[in-house]
Amino acid sequence: MLSQAVEDYIKTIHKLQENGLVSTTELANELNISGASVTGMLKRLATMGLVDYNSYKGVRLSESGSKIASEIIRHHRLLELYLKEMLGYSLDKVHEEACRLEHHISEEFADKIDSLLGNPEFDPHGHPIPPKNGDIPKTLEKPLSMLEIGKDFTIKRLADDDPEKLAFFEKMGFLPNTPFQIIDKAPFNGPISLKMDGKDIIIGNELATSIFVEV
């Protein structure tokens, strides 16, 4: 059994390493802790064989660490969907609740949720749920803010790092698998006009950067 702190580090490194090696400063900022604390934990994780760490270059997950990250993320996203579909949680509440629960469920419990939900492929935000003992599926995406006028699209995923945005998206119907068309885009990062469910909707550019479609 790994501690909650170790699992949080593994999940955070997995998130940040999409752009390459992760620096101590990046981890400290993301976790809101001191650089000295991060360095101590990274040395411990390296000893455990969960990361490849060089104090001058940065850190990335080892093969063992990556497998654990996939398991943690699988638990988290299954919990999010269970909370949303079975317990009626709103979209802006499931992430925080799942963060609290993900460290305490067994693989058997996760399998039960998976079966109960019909072996889902995506969480309620549209993020792919890793298969058991498998890698997290990769998708090519673009934010709504970068899409072209006059074309039809379907929402694939919502960024889940801001509960207030998620509450707004759910209220307005900006949910995964929802089709829409871009009618107009104001210059200089101005608002974007959409047609969704037969209605004309205007959304700010900042919000549009948190809505993704698959390309």
Side-chain angles (χ1 to χ4, degrees), residues 121-141:
E121 295 183 21
F122 301 95
D123 75 7
H125 304 108
H127 297 86
I129 297 173
K132 188 174 181 178
N133 302 320
D135 296 327
I136 300 172
K138 300 291 185 181
T139 57
L140 295 175
E141 302 172 332

Side-chain angles (χ1 to χ4, degrees), residues 12 18 22 46 58 87 104 111 115 118 172-173 192 202:
T12 303
E18 291 182 1
V22 182
L87 299 183
H104 307 293
D111 290 343
S115 178
M172 297 298 294
I192 301 170
I202 297 177

Side-chain angles (χ1 to χ4, degrees), residues 15 19 52 62 75 85 101 107 110 148 185:
K15 173 185 174 182
N19 299 318
D52 298 319
S62 65
H75 289 185
E85 298 296 325
L101 294 170
E107 193 64 30
E148 299 177 23
K185 297 175 71 174

Side-chain angles (χ1 to χ4, degrees), residues 152 172-173 178-181 183 194-202:
D152 295 322
M172 297 298 294
T178 302
F180 68 94
Q181 184 181 57
I183 306 302
L194 311 175
K195 175 82 69 177
M196 181 181 291
D197 195 25
K199 301 176 182 178
D200 292 331
I201 300 174
I202 297 177

Side-chain angles (χ1 to χ4, degrees), residues 1-214:
M1 290 289 292
L2 300 177
S3 70
Q4 180 172 333
V6 167
E7 291 188 350
D8 284 340
Y9 266 85
I10 290 173
K11 190 169 69 168
T12 303
I13 294 169
H14 180 274
K15 173 185 174 182
L16 296 176
Q17 72 179 14
E18 291 182 1
N19 299 318
L21 290 172
V22 182
S23 70
T24 301
T25 301
E26 286 179 292
L27 268 175
N29 291 338
E30 185 74 16
L31 295 169
N32 195 28
I33 54 179
S34 70
S37 295
V38 170
T39 298
M41 178 60 87
L42 292 181
K43 290 179 179 178
R44 177 184 171 193
L45 294 178
T47 301
M48 297 168 69
L50 299 177
V51 300
D52 298 319
Y53 173 55
N54 182 301
S55 58
Y56 298 102
K57 295 181 179 179
V59 64
R60 63 184 171 194
L61 295 177
S62 65
E63 183 176 348
S64 297
S66 295
K67 288 181 179 179
I68 292 171
S70 290
E71 181 181 317
I72 296 168
I73 292 167
R74 177 173 181 265
H75 289 185
H76 180 93
R77 293 178 179 174
L78 284 170
L79 283 165
E80 285 188 326
L81 192 60
Y82 180 80
L83 291 166
K84 182 74 171 67
E85 298 296 325
M86 306 303 292
L87 299 183
Y89 274 64
S90 59
L91 197 61
D92 58 313
K93 302 293 185 182
V94 295
H95 179 70
E96 184 178 351
E97 193 69 46
C99 282
R100 286 192 284 263
L101 294 170
E102 65 190 25
H103 306 287
H104 307 293
I105 69 170
S106 65
E107 193 64 30
E108 180 181 3
F109 190 86
D111 290 343
K112 292 286 188 182
I113 295 176
D114 190 27
S115 178
L116 179 65
L117 294 173
N119 308 117
E121 295 183 21
F122 301 95
D123 75 7
H125 304 108
H127 297 86
I129 297 173
K132 188 174 181 178
N133 302 320
D135 296 327
I136 300 172
K138 300 291 185 181
T139 57
L140 295 175
E141 302 172 332
K142 271 189 177 182
L144 192 155
S145 57
M146 295 178 61
L147 302 179
E148 299 177 23
I149 297 173
K151 291 191 175 183
D152 295 322
F153 301 98
T154 300
I155 295 174
K156 181 68 176 178
R157 178 176 69 84
L158 304 172
D160 63 359
D161 56 353
D162 189 325
E164 290 186 8
K165 286 184 181 180
L166 287 170
F168 176 79
F169 291 151
E170 188 165 35
K171 178 181 177 181
M172 297 298 294
F174 292 105
L175 299 172
N177 301 316
T178 302
F180 68 94
Q181 184 181 57
I182 296 184
I183 306 302
D184 192 24
K185 297 175 71 174
F188 308 110
N189 294 326
I192 301 170
S193 300
L194 311 175
K195 175 82 69 177
M196 181 181 291
D197 195 25
K199 301 176 182 178
D200 292 331
I201 300 174
I202 297 177
I203 184 172
N205 189 273
E206 180 185 352
L207 285 173
T209 63
S210 295
I211 301 172
F212 297 86
V213 303
E214 189 171 3

